[in-house]
Structures are given as C-alpha cells and as structure tokens.
Amino acid sequence: LGRMCGRLTDEMARLNALRVAQEEYSTIPHSFVFHRGQVGRNVGQLVMDVRRVMEPFTARSLKVRKSNVLKDFVSVAGPLGVTHFVVFSKTPTTVNMRLARLSKGPTMYFKVLKYTLIKDVVSSLKRHRMHQQQFTHHPLLVLNDFGMEGMQVKLMATMFQNMFPTINVHKVNLNVIKRCVLLNYDRVSQEIEFRHYSLKVVPVGMSRGVKKLMQERFPKMSRLEDISELLMKGANLSESEAEQDGEHNITELPQVFSGRGNMCSEQSAVRLTEIGPRMTLKLVKIEEGLGEGNILYHSLVSKSDEELQEMLKKKEVKLKQKEERKKQQEQNIAKKREKREENKSV
C-alpha cells in the first residue's frame, strides 16, 4: 500500500509539472525566422544569425522550400504555438524584413539599410565571449528612445516587446541572463540600430592581479620572484584583460551572480561584448492584417489622426456586419434542422 501511494504521488507530481510546463509554454512567444524568394548566401546567413538571436524559442532547423507559400507557415504555426514571423526578402537594390504578429497582425515592413553577420563581428574582436550555454535562455531586451510621440513608434515598441518573454524583475534569476538585445531608435534619421551582446559580470575594487587569481585559469608566475609582484603590478596581463570600468557599468548586485567574487550587495561591473548580428533598420509601412489589410502607416504617405480614426471605424463596422451575417446563418441552419426533425416526426 505504501508503494502504491508513493507511485501515485510521483505520478501526480509529474502530471502537475507537465501541466505547469504546458501553461508556461503557451504564454511564451515563439517565432519562425525564414526567407522568401531568392536571397543569396549572405542574406541566407543573416536569417540563420537572427534565429540564433531568438533562441531558444524559435525553430532553429526550420526548412523552407521554394514551393512553400505563407499559408503553409501559418497552418504549421498554430499547433506549435508560434506567435511571430520574421521574414527576409531581397530585391536587386534592397534587403527587406517583415515582422508579423499571428494571427491577425499587424505586419511591419522594414528596409535593412546595413547588416553585419555574426562571423564578421566576432572576427573583428580580439577576445569574443560566445558559447552554447548563452543560448539556453532568451536574451534581455532593451529599448532606447522609443518613448516619443507617434503611433508607428509605439506600435514598433509593442511589437518588439511581445517578441521576447516578459521578465519579472522581482523574481528573475540573474544567472540565466547571458545575452542582451539592444534596439536604439534615432529620432532624426528614424533608423533603428539592432545590436546583440554577450553579458558578463565581474567584481570591482580589485587589482588586475587579484582579478586574474579569481579566474579559473591562473597566470604564469615563472618570471616572478614573489607573488606580491602579481598583486601589485599585475604582471603578464594583457591590456584586453584590464577593461576600464566606471559609473556607467558598475552596480550593486541584488543576488549572488555566477563567477568568482560576484557576491550579493557587492559592487560589480556589467560588461557587454558584441557577438552579432548587427542591423540598421528603417520602417517603411505598417499593415493591419497578416500581409493584407488597411495600411496604418506609410513612411512615404502621411495620414492624419482623423483619417486613421475613420479607417478604424470602417473596419469595426465591417467586423460587426460579418458577425451579424454569421449569426443569421447560424439561425437559418437551426431553423432548417427544426423543419427536418418536424418532417421526420410526421
């Protein structure tokens, strides 16, 4: 009897954990990143790099065929819980990117003015920090200067925010935050700078030699006569290991952070290393639906607030008419069923 109770308890715990996992999965945004048409090798690699940024909540090995149309991705996205599409395309003169929210939109069209692949960003660094453990958790999203007036700016900020899982600042475990995505909006040029960083936290208030001793790899001390030379002078340390910290990146940790010396309520420096990809985007237009519908914003065509309100009112009227027609059809079907049953009884 005791064994049966134990098995029953384990099974209930397993089912409860499965239920919680399913609920969390349904609340987290997921994405498909793919291309349409002929894009070439570089843009194809950019698609793979953006998938890397969106990990782990994206289809890393998504296969795209020439015969696939957008409806194919939409039909597959529903059962998998996919909430966003990131679609790249290329013309003879420009590279374009679409962001779409499933299943009723909106769809945002961007022009990719400039881009740099991960391999190019990493190759330009003397020491890069990029490893597989960084991609087991989603990145931290930082939006800069998206608070200005304008419907299109607010819609862009909302779209970018909904593409990444929300973070509870009071409950989040800082040790799982290893990456950061920065989106900076330039009010003058109306361009968006996309950057992807690796995040590292190191203790401050120590000499370079002590910091070196705190790391897993110890420095070579064969040329030193005494350990004090390492602690006082920081011998055998390269300049890249002695990054300059200041008020801009020093903070007090609210909890213990992974790494030697990062203790709770102690001063530590947050260091960012760019790992790519890098993009410069410019919004072209915003459509209501999923690739079809009224144009809410166009960079080349200006609409007043009154025109937008009038357009939204017309959309609401159409939706109400559609609902009324659907109700009328259901009532007609119900009446036909009643007549059939009456005729059968007679």
Side-chain angles (χ1 to χ4, degrees):
L1 184 62
R3 290 181 179 178
M4 291 179 63
C5 291
R7 291 176 181 176
L8 183 61
T9 302
D10 294 341
E11 183 66 17
M12 291 178 63
R14 188 185 68 82
L15 293 176
N16 185 49
L18 180 62
R19 178 183 59 81
V20 172
Q22 291 176 346
E23 291 178 354
E24 291 181 351
Y25 183 88
S26 62
T27 58
I28 293 175
H30 295 72
S31 62
F32 276 172
V33 183
F34 55 97
H35 67 84
R36 305 301 301 135
Q38 296 292 333
V39 294
R41 182 182 299 177
N42 290 332
V43 178
Q45 186 59 48
L46 179 63
V47 172
M48 302 302 295
D49 291 351
V50 175
R51 287 184 188 178
R52 193 73 166 151
V53 175
M54 302 302 294
E55 287 187 14
F57 302 116
T58 190
R60 183 194 305 176
S61 303
L62 179 65
K63 301 297 182 182
V64 181
R65 297 179 180 177
K66 293 181 180 180
S67 59
N68 289 136
V69 294
L70 190 61
K71 290 184 179 179
D72 298 334
F73 298 97
V74 175
S75 61
V76 174
L80 296 178
V82 175
T83 58
H84 291 82
F85 283 171
V86 183
V87 187
F88 287 88
S89 60
K90 185 181 179 182
T91 67
T93 56
T94 60
V95 177
N96 302 309
M97 184 183 77
R98 279 182 287 170
L99 297 183
R101 177 73 166 88
L102 299 180
S103 58
K104 299 181 180 180
T107 304
M108 296 186 177
Y109 294 76
F110 294 89
K111 182 184 292 185
V112 182
L113 303 178
K114 295 182 291 184
Y115 69 90
T116 306
L117 303 177
I118 288 180
K119 62 178 182 179
D120 298 322
V121 173
V122 172
S123 63
S124 64
L125 300 174
K126 292 183 179 180
R127 299 176 59 194
H128 69 85
R129 289 185 49 81
M130 191 172 177
H131 49 82
Q132 186 58 36
Q133 292 182 350
Q134 294 173 331
F135 299 92
T136 58
H137 194 269
H138 65 87
L140 173 69
L141 176 65
V142 178
L143 299 179
N144 183 46
D145 215 4
F146 277 83
M148 63 174 293
E149 295 295 329
M151 179 202 66
Q152 72 277 10
V153 180
K154 294 178 181 178
L155 284 176
M156 281 193 295
T158 303
M159 175 70 84
F160 290 131
Q161 288 173 344
N162 292 336
M163 289 179 64
F164 297 90
T166 57
I167 293 178
N168 188 332
V169 295
H170 301 290
K171 298 181 179 180
V172 66
N173 181 10
L174 296 180
N175 290 291
V176 300
I177 301 178
K178 300 295 184 181
R179 295 181 294 133
C180 171
V181 171
L182 172 63
L183 292 167
N184 178 67
Y185 182 75
D186 190 331
R187 301 188 181 189
V188 179
S189 63
Q190 298 183 350
E191 297 177 357
I192 301 170
E193 296 292 340
F194 177 98
R195 297 291 185 272
H196 185 211
Y197 296 97
S198 168
L199 189 146
K200 179 184 179 182
V201 178
V202 295
V204 297
M206 303 178 185
S207 65
R208 291 194 296 168
V210 175
K211 288 181 181 179
K212 192 66 177 180
L213 289 175
M214 296 293 290
Q215 298 177 2
E216 295 180 358
R217 295 182 179 180
F218 291 98
K220 296 181 180 179
M221 296 184 288
S222 58
R223 298 182 181 180
L224 304 181
E225 296 182 0
D226 190 82
I227 193 174
S228 61
E229 294 185 20
L230 174 68
L231 300 179
M232 299 300 294
K233 299 179 182 179
N236 295 334
L237 299 183
S238 63
E239 292 297 326
S240 60
E241 294 172 332
E243 300 179 26
Q244 297 297 321
D245 298 317
E247 296 181 356
H248 63 282
N249 68 329
I250 294 179
T251 184
E252 183 177 310
L253 294 178
Q255 56 185 260
V256 177
F257 199 86
S258 60
R260 299 183 180 182
N262 294 317
M263 305 302 295
C264 181
S265 301
E266 295 292 335
Q267 295 286 325
S268 293
V270 180
R271 295 176 181 174
L272 300 179
T273 304
E274 188 174 3
I275 57 177
R278 180 190 303 173
M279 291 188 292
T280 302
L281 310 172
K282 190 167 186 177
L283 180 65
V284 177
K285 66 177 180 178
I286 303 176
E287 286 184 353
E288 252 188 338
L290 188 61
E292 57 184 9
N294 294 323
I295 297 178
L296 299 177
Y297 168 82
H298 202 294
S299 60
L300 303 178
V301 180
S302 60
K303 288 187 177 182
S304 62
D305 294 338
E306 291 78 9
E307 290 176 334
L308 290 174
Q309 293 296 330
E310 184 67 24
M311 187 173 58
L312 292 176
K313 286 180 181 179
K314 290 180 180 180
K315 184 68 174 179
E316 291 178 0
V317 170
K318 289 182 180 179
L319 291 175
K320 288 181 180 180
Q321 292 175 349
K322 186 176 180 180
E323 291 178 358
E324 291 176 357
R325 288 196 300 267
K326 188 176 181 180
K327 289 181 181 179
Q328 187 66 36
Q329 290 174 354
E330 291 176 352
Q331 292 175 0
N332 294 336
I333 293 173
K335 289 180 181 179
K336 290 181 180 179
R337 287 179 180 173
E338 291 177 358
K339 289 183 180 180
R340 290 176 182 174
E341 292 177 356
E342 290 177 358
N343 294 331
K344 287 181 181 179
S345 61
V346 173

